[in-house]
Amino acid sequence: MPQATVHLLRHGEVNNPDGILYGRLPEFHLSELGREMARTLAEHFRERSAQGAKIVHLAASPLTRAQETAQPIAEALGLEITTEARIIEAANYFQGLHVSKAEILRPKHWPMLRNPFRPSWGEPYKDQAARVIAAVQDARMRAIELGGDGAEAILVSHQLPIWATRLSAEGKPLWHDPRKRECTLTSVTSLVFDDAGNLLRVDYSEPAAALLPGASSTPGA
């Protein structure tokens, strides 16, 4: 039996009519659809808890959209939300811009595009994975402390840090095509650990898949 599972949950849809790459900017709230997604995830975890899952720890990125996604889950499970700075969105040079191909290719931005493998326009993939993995390990230990063998924790984070962490956990190169990330809005990437704290497997699910058609998602958000 696995010693613990840590679920990396991406936040719901954000109210962002101007299509801004919001990155770490404050006060980007969930849209009404995003709030419905969050409620759907809360019900998903409530049902799992009712069936015997020991979900004992909940943490979220300090950004508004992550905190708002976590709130219905906290209410459904009777948990407090711990703010975890290490699972915040990646730093990005293009933050605050309406990102389009024409904007990215403006000459003033060229120096930031020199190395897509790092990437040169933002926080290195390896740094993102390292900080999230450290938070995951702490959440794993906290879950065991609170719930014992088989306990589970939920960390509400953002697409790119979650994806970088998954690639790292699976031993894959961290550079990737952003269009091919398997990490939709309110998707759940679950890291399952054995008794020794070694990663057994990575599971992926989309409990709110029925709400995804028509949802907006700014690239890289």
Side-chain angles (χ1 to χ4, degrees), residues 100-119:
S100 64
K101 185 175 181 180
E103 176 63 39
I104 291 175
L105 293 180
R106 292 177 65 185
K108 70 175 184 177
H109 299 318
W110 290 355
M112 306 307 300
L113 303 175
R114 64 186 181 277
N115 184 2
F117 297 97
R118 182 180 180 266

Side-chain angles (χ1 to χ4, degrees), residues 169-170 190-194 197-202:
E170 294 178 336
S190 303
L191 305 180
V192 183
F193 296 93
D194 67 12
N198 300 310
L199 184 68
L200 284 175
R201 68 181 187 275
V202 178

Side-chain angles (χ1 to χ4, degrees), residues 25-192:
L25 294 174
E27 299 308 315
F28 272 85
H29 296 269
L30 295 182
S31 65
E32 180 51 46
L33 178 59
R35 289 191 287 272
E36 185 177 357
M37 289 177 172
R39 291 190 293 268
T40 298
L41 264 292
E43 179 60 19
H44 166 75
F45 285 116
R46 188 199 65 77
E47 290 179 357
R48 290 197 65 252
S49 179
Q51 294 167 4
K54 295 190 291 184
I55 307 171
V56 295
H57 178 61
L58 172 63
S61 155
L63 295 176
T64 302
R65 58 193 185 270
Q67 294 281 325
E68 291 180 347
T69 301
Q71 188 58 47
I73 300 172
E75 295 169 359
L77 299 180
L79 297 174
E80 293 186 4
I81 302 170
T82 299
T83 297
E84 173 55 83
R86 292 173 295 181
I87 59 174
I88 197 171
E89 177 64 280
N92 193 314
Y93 163 81
F94 293 104
Q95 173 179 296
L97 298 179
H98 177 80
V99 178
S100 64
K101 185 175 181 180
E103 176 63 39
I104 291 175
L105 293 180
R106 292 177 65 185
K108 70 175 184 177
H109 299 318
W110 290 355
M112 306 307 300
L113 303 175
R114 64 186 181 277
N115 184 2
F117 297 97
R118 182 180 180 266
S120 52
W121 57 82
E123 182 182 9
Y125 297 131
K126 65 177 183 179
D127 291 354
Q128 296 177 50
R131 61 177 168 83
V132 176
I133 288 171
V136 165
Q137 289 293 346
D138 285 351
R140 178 183 69 83
M141 295 303 296
R142 181 59 175 160
I144 294 168
E145 178 185 339
L146 293 171
D149 193 38
E152 303 181 21
I154 300 170
L155 303 183
V156 186
S157 185
H158 309 268
Q159 187 189 61
L160 181 51
I162 292 173
W163 186 242
T165 299
R166 177 174 172 180
L167 291 176
S168 178
E170 294 178 336
K172 296 178 180 178
L174 300 187
W175 181 85
H176 61 278
D177 182 341
R179 297 168 297 180
K180 296 182 179 180
R181 295 172 188 159
E182 187 181 42
C183 189
T184 63
L185 292 165
T186 53
S187 60
V188 182
T189 300
S190 303
L191 305 180
V192 183

